[in-house]
Amino acid sequence: MTTTTTTDAPALTPESARRDELEQRASSLTIPSRLFIDGAHVDATSGRTFARVSPRNGQVIGHVAEGDAADIDRAVAAARRAFDSGVWSQQHPRERRKVLQRLARLVEEHAEELALLESIDMGKPFTDAVAVDIRVTVQALDFYAEAVDKHYDEVAPTAYDRLALVTREPIGVVGAVVPWNYPLMMAAWKVAPALAVGNTMVLKPAEQSPLTALRLAELATEAGLPDGVLNVVPGFGPTAGQALGRHMDVDAVTFTGSGSVGRRFMTYAAESNIKPVSLELGGKSPHIVMPDAPDLDHVAAQVASGIFFNMGESCSAGSRLLVHRSIRHELVERVVAASRHEVVGDPLDPRSTLGALVEDVHLERVLGFIAGAEAEGATTLAGGRQVLRETGGYYVEPTVLEVEPSMTVAREEVFGPVLSVLTFDTPEEAVALANGTEFGLAAAVWTTDLSTAHTMARRVRAGTVWVNCYDDSDMTVPFGGYKQSGFGRDKSLHAMEKYTQLKTTWIKL
Ligand code: NAD
């Protein structure tokens, strides 16, 4: 007799009911599967496809057309035709604004579908996808839509009998290559400003997470974007990505991803048509916690969410905690406690605060960093292990390591839920540690002293410095790196600069 099943089953809480519902909806999603070129769904020229394996359980959720150089050629040709026709580039800015605003509304209407696609494609919690990825995508579309018909050009102060106009023109066909960690949001940070100012585009999403970019292109057509203006070609980096980077008819490339691939894009440009390249790359961002830091409970909570949000797969993850020796014990104890409150689990379960890492290769890489750190003498204060193997997915515990500055894990970007703790005695030592990697994306300073806050903010070489907060973000402020974290800036009005070029027109009066 089997009588145990019902009594042993977990109680049906509102969260678990919601999880069942989300699983049900995820299983009935239409998985985008074809390239989007010139306003139409098309197969890859080669006929090849690649499997999309969901990191939540290791199972295939669909097959996507594998674009390569031939498809990039088709997409660039479509983008060129659309650009030259003026159907978008010469539209009244007010009309471009309306299309982008309609697209923002469509993304809102499809928020659940897009968040589900993102969640099953790359493993992030569905709740985070809704709260951050989709919300910020909408903000980006609205922000640049609103900006585009409020931007004026210049008249230079020249001689009385001359008129010199300094105008901004769209740059032409823009190639955008994006990573897998915030697939739709990273795409939107590029697509929204580039389209707003009148360019046409070929977007290559990461092979680990192509689904929402394909859906975005469909929604853009529904919003009224003319055919050929936004083309999406999923495919692999060395084939499709390289073809875009080397294309002679692409006028600019905007790239977000790793430093090693960013370097390649500079080479591609140098060896082809000297197209401008903008790079947003990785980070190893530090928290500097001074002895007078306010409210250590709050600091610990921010340090934990700064590294564990999105499973640590964030370029701005606060992956190093630099703490003054006098408060080291108190703070680290709190951070370890906060790490134990995180819930690693199915991305579709609303209780999960950490989902799955993006793929098996990346899981091995992250575990390799932890094992390497332990071999170099690091002490594991929390986590450190793969969990939930029985699901077939790629899950790692939130991990806190006590390290030395010379260790690999203290210098290189792990891109996983792994915090390195280092101790300092003087402000000089803290600044040297903060600046002691090749990266310079972001940093935080925790202090109640105004002068210390400003001095530290000046001395740390990073594109963003947060004081007594972490990861604060707004579409109105630029985001990008110093040093080998790149030199491009996404977000804010400044991002529009890289998608336009200046023209000077002299008129003799
Ligand atoms: P990645 O560099 O491996 O891949 C990024 C993109 O480049 C993908 O679309 C990929 O297909 C393509 N690519 C890979 N090899 C290529 C090649 N040889 N030629 C042309 N294209 C190629 O990066 P990833 O693993 O997808 O993303 C993680 C990285 O992105 C991390 O370093 C992270 O810090 C960085 N990132 C930076 C920011 C930022 O704003 N600074 C934001 C998000 C992520």
Side-chain angles (χ1 to χ4, degrees):
M1 278 224 322
T2 53
T3 53
T4 54
T5 43
T6 46
T7 47
D8 287 352
L12 200 66
T13 60
E15 286 86 1
S16 56
R18 178 78 175 134
R19 172 188 168 161
D20 291 347
E21 189 186 318
L22 289 174
E23 276 188 347
Q24 218 281 310
R25 290 195 190 180
S27 65
S28 52
L29 283 171
T30 303
I31 304 293
S33 62
R34 299 170 83 199
L35 315 179
F36 196 82
I37 298 177
D38 214 4
H41 300 102
V42 293
D43 291 326
T45 309
S46 68
R48 280 200 301 269
T49 62
F50 62 101
R52 276 306 311 126
V53 173
S54 176
R56 62 183 279 259
N57 54 16
Q59 293 188 3
V60 173
I61 51 171
H63 290 82
V64 175
E66 182 189 326
D68 63 15
D71 304 295
I72 292 291
D73 271 347
R74 287 155 79 193
V76 172
R80 173 60 59 196
R81 275 195 306 277
F83 185 78
D84 290 348
S85 75
V87 64
W88 182 250
S89 55
Q90 294 165 23
Q91 276 242 24
H92 195 297
R94 185 175 57 232
E95 299 307 317
R96 293 202 299 265
R97 166 166 63 78
K98 285 182 191 163
V99 171
L100 291 176
Q101 285 175 326
R102 277 201 293 272
L103 178 56
R105 301 292 74 76
L106 283 171
V107 170
E108 271 176 343
E109 281 168 30
H110 291 266
E112 182 182 279
E113 176 201 349
L114 289 163
L116 280 172
L117 283 174
E118 210 74 300
S119 185
I120 61 172
D121 206 14
M122 66 70 66
K124 72 173 66 206
F126 167 80
T127 45
D128 290 347
V130 173
V132 176
D133 299 66
I134 310 304
R135 181 177 57 85
V136 177
T137 296
V138 171
Q139 281 177 357
L141 290 165
D142 275 331
F143 180 85
Y144 291 105
E146 286 162 9
V148 71
D149 62 350
K150 293 157 194 79
H151 236 59
Y152 292 70
D153 288 325
E154 300 164 20
V155 176
T158 54
Y160 189 73
D161 63 348
R162 295 290 188 278
L163 179 62
L165 304 176
V166 183
T167 50
R168 289 205 164 268
E169 297 191 339
I171 202 155
V173 175
V174 174
V177 179
V178 295
W180 46 258
N181 59 339
Y182 294 90
L184 184 65
M185 188 175 106
M186 290 294 117
W189 284 8
K190 299 189 182 304
V191 166
L195 292 188
V197 296
N199 296 289
T200 60
M201 298 187 81
V202 178
L203 167 66
K204 196 206 82 63
E207 51 272 39
Q208 297 87 348
S209 60
L211 303 183
T212 47
L214 287 168
R215 195 69 185 104
L216 181 72
E218 287 175 339
L219 293 176
T221 299
E222 198 178 323
L225 195 72
D227 292 350
V229 174
L230 175 61
N231 306 277
V232 179
V233 182
F236 291 87
T239 48
Q242 174 160 201
L244 196 54
R246 289 190 181 278
H247 207 288
M248 294 300 287
D249 208 21
V250 169
D251 296 305
V253 159
T254 171
F255 172 79
T256 297
S258 61
S260 58
V261 178
R263 278 187 172 76
R264 286 179 190 265
F265 274 97
M266 294 187 79
T267 306
Y268 300 156
E271 290 177 355
S272 57
N273 59 347
I274 321 189
K275 56 181 76 63
V277 174
S278 118
L279 302 179
E280 353 286 332
L281 309 174
K284 192 74 190 172
S285 302
H287 287 269
I288 303 173
V289 189
M290 302 301 286
D292 63 347
D295 185 2
L296 289 190
D297 286 326
H298 177 66
V299 179
Q302 293 284 296
V303 169
S305 64
I307 179 65
F308 300 134
F309 184 77
N310 211 47
M311 298 74 70
E313 295 168 334
S314 297
C315 51
S316 59
S319 53
R320 291 185 299 152
L321 169 59
L322 317 181
V323 55
H324 191 268
R325 194 174 302 280
S326 64
I327 52 166
R328 182 211 162 276
H329 181 70
E330 280 171 277
L331 180 62
V332 173
E333 198 176 51
R334 285 168 166 79
V335 172
V336 167
S339 77
R340 300 215 162 102
H341 284 119
E342 301 284 346
V343 181
V344 184
D346 188 330
L348 296 185
D349 189 331
R351 291 165 295 196
S352 304
T353 58
L354 275 81
L357 297 188
V358 70
E359 59 179 352
D360 49 357
V361 179
H362 189 55
L363 169 77
E364 293 308 326
R365 187 173 171 275
V366 170
L367 293 172
F369 268 110
I370 298 171
E374 287 169 347
E376 283 185 75
T379 307
T380 304
L381 303 175
R385 292 169 309 162
Q386 181 182 356
V387 288
L388 301 173
R389 279 173 197 262
E390 67 282 5
T391 62
Y394 316 129
Y395 300 89
V396 171
E397 290 177 314
T399 299
V400 182
L401 302 172
E402 176 136 48
V403 305
E404 294 296 329
S406 59
M407 292 177 183
T408 310
V409 76
R411 290 179 288 108
E412 292 185 12
E413 186 181 39
V414 177
F415 223 53
V418 180
L419 177 70
S420 292
V421 179
L422 295 139
T423 309
F424 67 85
D425 290 298
T426 64
E428 289 66 34
E429 212 185 321
V431 171
L433 282 172
N435 290 335
T437 72
E438 69 192 39
F439 300 105
L441 191 58
V445 181
W446 296 89
T447 177
T448 40
D449 185 84
L450 186 65
S451 171
T452 305
H454 281 291
T455 310
M456 284 285 185
R458 284 187 181 182
R459 293 175 70 189
V460 172
R461 297 189 62 210
T464 298
V465 179
W466 288 288
V467 176
N468 296 335
C469 56
Y470 201 79
D471 254 344
D472 279 40
S473 167
D474 198 288
M475 202 48 64
T476 55
V477 295
F479 182 75
Y482 278 27
K483 296 158 69 184
Q484 291 181 45
S485 290
F487 46 78
R489 292 292 179 272
D490 279 329
K491 301 167 64 190
S492 83
L493 298 179
H494 294 286
M496 293 163 91
E497 288 157 21
K498 65 188 176 197
Y499 301 113
T500 53
Q501 52 196 343
L502 285 180
K503 173 169 282 178
T504 303
T505 308
W506 281 98
I507 301 170
K508 181 178 177 309
L509 301 178

